[in-house]
Amino acid sequence: MEVTTKSMPYGDWKDNEYIEGMVNELKANGVNVVVGSLDKLINWGRSNSIWPLTFATSCCGIEFISLGAARYDMARFGWEVARSSPRQADFMMVAGTIVHRMAPVVRRLYDQLAEPKYVIATGGCAISGGPFRHSYHVVKGVGEIIPVDVYCPGCPPRPEAMIYAIMQLSRKIKVERFFGGVNRQEKQQDFLKNHPLDKMTD
Amino acid sequence: MANLQAIVAEKFPEAEIVNGETLELNVPDAKWHSLATMLKDEFGFDNLTALIGMDWGDLLGVVYYLTNTSTWEMVRVKVTTADRVKPMLHSITDLYAVAGIYEREVYDFYGIIFINHPDMRRLFLRNDWVGFPFRKDYDANPEVNPVRLDHEKVDDVTVSYVETAPGKIEKRKVEIFSPEQFVVNIGPQHPATHGVLRLRTAVDGETITKIDLYLGYIHRGIEKLCEGLTYPQTLHFTDRLDYLSAMINRHALCLCVEKAMNIEVPRRAQVIRVMMDELMRISSHLLAIGTFCMDLGATTMLFYPLRERETILDILERTTGARMTFNYNCIGGVIADLDPNFQTDVKKLLEIMPKAIKEYNKVFTGNVIAHNRMDGVGVLSDPDAKDYNCTGPTGRASGWACDIRKRHPYGIYSELQFEEVVRHEGDSMARFKARISEMEQSCRILAQLVDQIPEGDICAKVPKIIKLPEGHWFQQVEACRGAFGVYIESAGGNQPLRVKFNSPGFCLAGAVDHLTRGEKIADLITIGGSLDYVVPDIDR
Ligand code: SF4
C-alpha cells in the first residue's frame, strides 16, 4: 500500500519501508487495516490542511518565517494558516530551544490544542537541547515534556527540511487509523499518566 | 584623563588606579556611589555601557564600564565584596536608568543584593530557582533544579533593601501592581512580541500605566557554558545569540580574543569580515522592517523585504554553506575563502537594492496608515537614550550619534566612507526610517569594497592551542541592533574565567516600560516592533 502526499510522488520518499513496515507489522498482528472510504475522505482532508501553531522561540523560528514567505511558500501545501491560538491549530511546530522557564508554557499550549493534535520537534534544540544541552537552564529535548510525532534535525533545518517534516506528518495522518492514531494515542495516554495534570497548579 | 586620575587620587585615596586598556579604578563599595556621582556629574560619564557580575572564587563583585558620550572615553570601575553568604553592594539605579535591569541580572546570577535598588527580584530564572548559577560553587545537579511543569506564581510584590542610615539596611516590601490595577498578561507566546517576551501590562482603559518585564523564556545560559569551553569552542554560541547579526557578533568575539593575543589579521580577511558584516546588517534590517510592518498589519511589506533577504542569504550561503548560523569568522581571520562568484553576486545585489528601497518607501513609508500608526509613538529623547543605553538605530533615531563603527572604529571601518544616520524625532517612524537609511549606507560600504578585495591569506597563523594571558578585555562592535560588547576575563590557560556578552537588545527591553507609559495598548506592538529586539539576544 502506497502512502504518499499529493505534492510528492511515492518514489521520491526515502523511507517508504519504514512506514510500510509499520503497516505490515500491524497487519501481521491481526489489526484490521482496511480503511473505510469515509475515513479516507476525512484523513485526506485533515492531512491536506494542517494548520500550525506559531510557536517559535529562537533561531529556528526565523527559518519558519522564511518558510511562510514567497520563496518557500508553504501556502502551496495548505499549511499557511499559522494560528496564534492553540485552539485553532492542528499541530505545534516547536522551533527553537526550550528552557526551564518555558517548559510549563509549552505543556499548557499542548494541552490547549484540540484533538487530534501533533507535534514536530524542529532543530537540534527541540530534539535534544542541541548546542546548549549542558546548560543548567535548557530542557534536553521537548520530548521530555510533550509527545513528539516527527523530528526534524538541523541547526537550523533548512526550510526544505521543514517542508519534508510537515509532509512526513501528513503521511502519518493519512494512515492514522492503522498506526499513527492507535500507537500515538496510546503513547499519549501513557504520557499523561506519567505526567499527571493534578500536579499542575494555576 | 590625567586630570580625572589626579582628582580621583585626591578625593578617593582608597581607590586603586590602574592604567590598562582604559583607566581602571578599584574602589571599596562604601565609596562607589559617591565616585559614580562624581564621574557622572563632573566628568560627563553619562552612559553605563556595561555592568558585569563576577565571581573570582574568594571575591564576588561587579565590573562597570562607563562612557563619556561627548569624548567617547571609557573608564572601568571594579567593586568587590568578600561576603559570599549575603553579599551586598550599592546600587546606582538613581544615576543610570539602565542599571535597574543590569543589576537585577547580576542578582539573579550571582546573588549580589543591590542596596537601594527598587526591585530585587530574579530576572531570568524562575522565582523558585535554587542557587545562583554563575557562582563558581553552584550545584549543577539536575535534581536540585529539575524541569518543573507547574506554573510559577506571579508576584505583585517585590522587595527592596533600603539603607536607612549608614550601615543600616532594612528590607522593605514594594508593590509592583496594586490590587486595584487591571493587569493584562502579554506573552510569552504572543505573535507580536517578537519572540518569547512576557509583559505584564497594567492598563487603565486602553492606556498603559505600567509594564513589568519577565525575561528568561529563552535564557540558555550561554555565558556560563562558555566558562567550561576553550576559546574556539565558544565561538559558535555568538551565532545563536542574535542570530540576525550572527556574523557581527562572532566578529566581536574574534576581535576580543585577537586583541588579547596580539594577532594581526590579514588584510583580505579584514575586508571579507566587513563585507559580511554589512551584508548581515542589510539582511537583518530587511527582516526587522518586514516583521515590524507585519505586526502593524501590512503583510505585503513582510514579503517584499524577505524577497531581497533571500538574495543576501544566497550570497552568504554560497560562501559559508549555511543560511543562518554561519560559523564563518574564526580566531585570526575567516574559516573559508570566498565563493568565486561572490563579487558578481554582490554587484547584482547592489543593483537591486536601490530599487527595492524605493519600492518599500512607495508601498509603506508614505502610506497614511503607517504615518498614523508610527508618527509620534514611543518617543525616546536623546538623554533618555543615553540613560537607558539604547544604542543602534534606536539611539540614533533619538539624536545620539552612537555608531561604534565611527566612535571606536575597528577592522577597516576608519578607512571607509559612510555616513552615520542620525535623526532627531525619536519616534517609531524615525527608527523605521533610520533602518532604511542604514541599508543605503551599508550598500555604499559594499560598493567601495567589492572591487577592492586584496589577495592574500584569509587567516593569520595562530597557535594550535589558544591560550590567553591573565587579564581582561572589552571589545565593542556595531551589531544590527546596537553596540554589542564582549568582555573576556582570563586567569591564563585555554578557558575563560568569565565571558560576558553585553547585548544591545537587553537595554532596549529595559526601556520598554519607560517608552510605553501613557501610550495606548495597540502602540505597544508598534513600539516593540520599532525597537526590534531579538529575544535570545536579550536572554542569552
Ligand atoms: S537548533 Fe540551532 S538554529 Fe535551532 S534554535 Fe537551536 S541553536 Fe537555534
Side-chain angles (χ1 to χ4, degrees):
Chain A
M1 186 203 150
E2 295 189 353
V3 187
T4 184
T5 61
K6 199 172 70 193
S7 348
M8 190 144 143
Y10 177 74
D12 286 357
W13 294 98
K14 296 272 183 284
D15 56 351
N16 283 321
E17 316 78 58
Y18 135 82
I19 208 157
E20 273 150 28
M22 286 174 87
V23 179
N24 291 337
E25 201 177 299
L26 281 164
K27 266 190 189 158
N29 290 338
V31 180
N32 182 12
V33 287
V34 183
V35 236
S37 35
L38 187 61
D39 272 350
K40 232 183 199 162
L41 183 70
I42 292 172
N43 283 348
W44 170 80
R46 269 214 316 240
S47 65
N48 282 310
S49 67
I50 37 178
W51 293 355
L53 165 73
T54 39
F55 183 73
T57 62
S58 48
C59 344
C60 284
I62 302 296
E63 286 296 68
F64 189 66
I65 298 182
S66 304
L67 181 62
R71 186 183 203 172
Y72 294 98
D73 188 18
M74 62 178 174
R76 290 176 290 169
F77 308 107
W79 312 324
E80 81 281 20
V81 202
R83 307 272 62 175
S84 301
S85 161
R87 309 273 189 210
Q88 302 161 346
D90 297 308
F91 74 102
M92 199 169 160
M93 189 109 179
V94 183
T97 325
I98 301 299
V99 301
H100 281 229
R101 198 169 204 179
M102 196 63 174
V105 181
V106 178
R107 178 64 196 270
R108 176 188 271 185
L109 286 170
Y110 178 77
D111 290 338
Q112 284 178 342
L113 282 169
E115 288 276 359
K117 52 187 170 186
Y118 311 93
V119 175
I120 301 183
T122 312
C125 288
I127 294 174
S128 68
F132 312 105
R133 192 175 167 80
H134 299 298
S135 167
Y136 57 89
H137 201 241
V138 171
V139 178
K140 293 174 182 57
V142 70
E144 290 201 354
I145 40 178
I146 53 177
V148 177
D149 294 278
V150 177
Y151 290 94
C152 174
C155 184
R158 298 179 56 90
E160 290 94 329
M162 294 191 181
I163 294 178
Y164 189 78
I166 307 179
M167 280 187 170
Q168 210 49 284
L169 177 66
S170 50
R171 247 176 15 138
K172 283 186 104 176
I173 296 176
K174 277 218 167 135
V175 285
E176 189 162 54
R177 256 300 174 79
F178 302 156
F179 59 85
V182 177
N183 282 0
R184 204 189 60 85
Q185 299 282 345
E186 253 169 28
K187 238 168 48 193
Q188 193 184 357
Q189 290 310 327
D190 289 345
F191 187 85
L192 290 175
K193 217 178 282 159
N194 298 334
H195 300 75
L197 279 169
D198 48 295
K199 269 221 209 117
M200 296 172 71
T201 56
D202 197 309
Chain B
M1 272 297 190
N3 180 22
L4 169 66
Q5 209 169 324
I7 292 182
V8 171
E10 186 200 317
K11 286 200 180 164
F12 298 92
E14 319 78 348
E16 193 186 315
I17 302 173
V18 189
N19 258 317
E21 201 184 11
T22 59
L23 182 67
E24 300 174 18
L25 310 170
N26 303 342
V27 286
D29 174 50
K31 292 284 171 202
W32 163 227
H33 195 272
S34 45
L35 174 67
T37 316
M38 185 184 90
L39 286 175
K40 187 181 176 196
D41 295 344
E42 288 168 38
F43 291 92
F45 286 94
D46 52 355
N47 172 247
L48 175 59
T49 311
L51 190 156
I52 303 151
M54 287 287 309
D55 182 0
W56 288 277
D58 47 345
L59 293 177
L60 285 169
V62 176
V63 171
Y64 302 83
Y65 276 92
L66 302 173
T67 303
N68 176 331
T69 53
S70 39
T71 60
W72 285 85
E73 278 168 327
M74 260 197 192
V75 42
R76 174 185 194 264
V77 183
K78 185 168 124 181
V79 186
T80 56
T81 167
D83 184 356
R84 290 187 75 88
V85 183
K86 202 171 186 192
M88 285 196 171
L89 295 177
H90 278 85
S91 163
I92 48 167
T93 30
D94 50 337
L95 300 170
Y96 302 96
V98 68
I101 189 165
Y102 274 149
E103 287 175 354
R104 271 182 72 189
E105 176 190 329
V106 173
Y107 170 67
D108 199 356
F109 292 161
Y110 291 94
I112 299 176
I113 292 167
F114 288 88
I115 303 165
N116 295 335
H117 188 290
D119 180 6
M120 270 287 102
R121 263 181 308 159
R122 285 199 180 262
L123 182 62
F124 293 111
L125 306 178
R126 291 171 63 108
N127 42 24
D128 49 4
W129 192 270
V130 183
F132 299 103
F134 276 52
R135 287 203 189 175
K136 296 285 180 200
D137 53 6
Y138 172 69
D139 182 3
N141 186 349
E143 277 162 28
V144 180
N145 286 300
V147 181
R148 295 190 175 90
L149 284 181
D150 53 325
H151 290 265
E152 57 193 302
K153 293 263 174 303
V154 289
D155 358 60
D156 287 333
V157 184
T158 174
V159 289
S160 171
Y161 296 82
V162 186
E163 190 169 33
T164 43
K168 252 196 97 201
I169 314 289
E170 206 181 287
K171 187 174 171 180
R172 283 196 194 149
K173 284 215 159 101
V174 183
E175 206 168 53
I176 306 168
F177 296 115
S178 68
E180 294 83 50
Q181 262 173 320
F182 186 75
V183 183
V184 184
N185 182 59
I186 301 175
Q189 195 262 338
H190 188 277
T193 50
H194 275 226
V196 286
L197 202 62
R198 180 173 174 206
L199 310 163
R200 290 188 73 213
T201 312
V203 286
D204 174 15
E206 264 198 85
T207 313
I208 299 172
T209 52
K210 183 174 184 179
I211 286 188
D212 187 26
L213 189 68
Y214 278 71
L215 298 177
Y217 286 93
I218 184 76
H219 170 61
R220 309 192 267 206
I222 290 181
E223 289 164 7
K224 179 78 179 178
L225 281 173
C226 287
E227 288 173 15
L229 298 172
T230 63
Y231 291 100
Q233 283 174 332
T234 58
L235 289 178
H236 76 278
F237 287 132
T238 48
D239 287 37
R240 290 160 175 86
L241 276 171
D242 176 357
Y243 35 77
L244 297 178
S245 44
M247 291 272 191
I248 310 180
N249 293 352
R250 197 164 159 121
H251 192 173
L253 182 53
C254 290
L255 278 175
C256 199
V257 176
E258 284 153 12
K259 180 154 78 178
M261 294 178 69
N262 279 322
I263 295 175
E264 178 74 30
V265 179
R267 172 92 191 164
R268 182 175 170 87
Q270 293 204 20
V271 174
I272 295 176
R273 279 179 174 183
V274 167
M275 290 190 78
M276 289 298 180
D277 285 3
E278 295 310 317
L279 284 171
M280 202 72 237
R281 195 179 317 279
I282 301 175
S283 82
S284 164
H285 284 348
L286 284 171
L287 190 75
I289 59 172
T291 48
F292 176 31
C293 297
M294 190 179 73
D295 289 347
L296 297 183
T299 320
T300 316
M301 259 306 273
L302 172 69
F303 292 137
Y304 282 17
L306 281 189
R307 178 187 61 196
E308 272 73 53
R309 182 170 177 265
E310 289 289 342
T311 323
I312 299 177
L313 292 190
D314 280 348
I315 300 177
L316 296 176
E317 189 185 350
R318 270 179 215 129
T319 293
T320 68
R323 282 166 51 85
M324 271 188 65
T325 44
F326 305 102
N327 297 326
Y328 187 58
N329 285 319
C330 66
I331 294 166
V334 293
I335 218 159
D337 212 341
L338 292 174
D339 178 73
N341 294 325
F342 181 76
Q343 278 156 305
T344 7
D345 288 345
V346 171
K347 281 183 193 153
K348 265 192 218 142
L349 175 78
L350 291 176
E351 274 169 34
I352 305 172
M353 278 314 289
K355 283 185 224 145
I357 292 178
K358 223 186 209 162
E359 195 174 7
Y360 309 150
N361 285 335
K362 206 157 122 198
V363 172
F364 194 74
T365 320
N367 190 319
V368 61
I369 304 176
H371 277 281
N372 285 341
R373 289 293 310 263
M374 284 147 70
D375 281 346
V377 170
V379 180
L380 182 71
S381 69
D382 179 12
D384 280 349
K386 290 169 185 161
D387 207 15
Y388 282 94
N389 195 20
C390 293
T391 48
T394 308
R396 291 193 283 281
S398 301
W400 179 25
C402 57
D403 194 329
I404 302 294
R405 293 175 293 174
K406 292 273 188 200
R407 303 281 91 82
H408 296 297
Y410 53 94
I412 54 163
Y413 277 112
S414 50
E415 306 162 20
L416 298 172
Q417 315 231 312
F418 64 101
E419 268 156 41
E420 183 173 6
V421 181
V422 180
R423 306 184 68 90
H424 294 278
E425 307 90 316
D427 60 357
S428 303
M429 193 60 164
R431 295 192 272 273
F432 175 81
K433 284 186 179 159
R435 291 208 167 80
I436 295 213
S437 316
E438 277 194 12
M439 289 198 283
E440 286 165 357
Q441 294 304 324
S442 294
C443 289
R444 204 171 139 197
I445 295 176
L446 286 174
Q448 285 167 47
L449 289 175
V450 66
D451 286 321
Q452 307 288 335
I453 307 176
E455 292 299 317
D457 288 340
I458 53 161
C459 191
K461 285 239 162 347
V462 289
K464 277 232 169 57
I465 294 173
I466 294 190
K467 276 193 181 144
L468 257 56
E470 225 180 295
H472 52 78
W473 301 269
F474 185 59
Q475 173 71 42
Q476 278 189 300
V477 299
E478 181 67 23
C480 307
R481 277 151 202 83
F484 178 81
V486 174
Y487 175 83
I488 298 181
E489 178 145 352
S490 153
N494 59 359
Q495 291 181 343
L497 178 74
R498 170 85 163 113
V499 177
K500 158 90 181 174
F501 297 114
N502 194 42
S503 58
F506 187 56
C507 305
L508 294 175
V512 167
D513 180 31
H514 169 71
L515 279 177
T516 48
R517 284 211 184 176
E519 301 278 1
K520 297 275 178 285
I521 197 155
D523 294 337
L524 173 63
I525 309 302
T526 316
I527 294 168
S530 71
L531 292 177
D532 181 37
Y533 33 63
V534 166
V535 185
D537 181 45
I538 302 175
D539 283 357
R540 287 158 286 139

